[in-house]
Amino acid sequence: MWISIPKRHIIIWDSICSNISSEELDVVMEPFLYMVPYLLVECVSSDEQRAQYSLEPFTYERPTNIPPARAGDCGMYTLKYIECHALGIEFSKKDFAKANGKSMRDKMAVDIFQELPDAHEFENRDNDANLGAYEG
């Protein structure tokens, strides 16, 4: 979900649109359309800020031009959409092709690992103590 507070609008970036029908999505979205304005009104710190918001429900849409993802890739695709949007980069079906999924996932895992504080402490640890943790 991408929530635009100024526009009072929610965009559902769904890479597997066939997973839920428009009618089912209406039912799922209804609580969000009412909850977001309520939270805005209730969570502001002053009466002046509260006056800027109303309890009118938000609207929503689900674009259908989102490149499809394989099952299991949707989380990684979501993070890439957010990254592209934040950087002002257009994303295309070619860039988000299923064939690129594995390399995107690998690069993202490396980026996340490198951002961890103390990640260097884990680089040469073989973790022998946990080898049998999942054996039945």
Side-chain angles (χ1 to χ4, degrees):
M1 282 187 203
W2 172 18
I3 301 174
S4 172
I5 294 171
K7 294 180 181 178
R8 305 183 59 79
H9 189 69
I10 299 172
I11 299 177
I12 308 299
W13 298 100
D14 187 358
S15 62
I16 309 176
C17 287
S18 62
N19 197 36
I20 184 170
S21 71
S22 295
E23 293 78 19
E24 291 170 318
L25 187 59
D26 286 344
V27 172
V28 169
M29 286 303 299
E30 185 176 14
F32 290 99
L33 302 178
Y34 287 89
M35 180 177 57
V36 172
Y38 178 80
L39 289 172
L40 286 171
V41 168
E42 291 299 317
C43 293
V44 295
S45 58
S46 69
D47 288 338
E48 294 84 30
Q49 288 177 320
R50 186 171 286 117
Q52 295 175 16
Y53 301 110
S54 78
L55 293 175
E56 284 294 313
F58 276 36
T59 57
Y60 88 94
E61 68 179 299
R62 175 174 61 172
T64 57
N65 62 343
I66 306 301
R70 292 182 307 185
D73 283 345
C74 54
M76 184 252 323
Y77 274 42
T78 299
L79 292 174
K80 280 308 219 182
Y81 287 136
I82 292 168
E83 181 180 25
C84 287
H85 179 70
L87 297 173
I89 299 170
E90 289 291 323
F91 43 85
S92 71
K93 290 185 178 189
K94 177 183 73 80
D95 296 331
F96 285 86
K98 292 177 186 177
N100 295 338
K102 172 127 177 49
S103 64
M104 275 194 244
R105 184 184 301 279
D106 292 347
K107 287 176 187 175
M108 193 173 295
V110 169
D111 288 346
I112 291 170
F113 181 78
Q114 289 176 338
E115 291 295 324
L116 291 173
D118 305 323
H120 62 280
E121 292 181 15
F122 299 102
E123 289 178 9
N124 294 316
R125 201 180 293 171
D126 59 13
N127 216 9
D128 283 344
N130 293 326
L131 282 178
Y134 297 104
E135 293 175 0

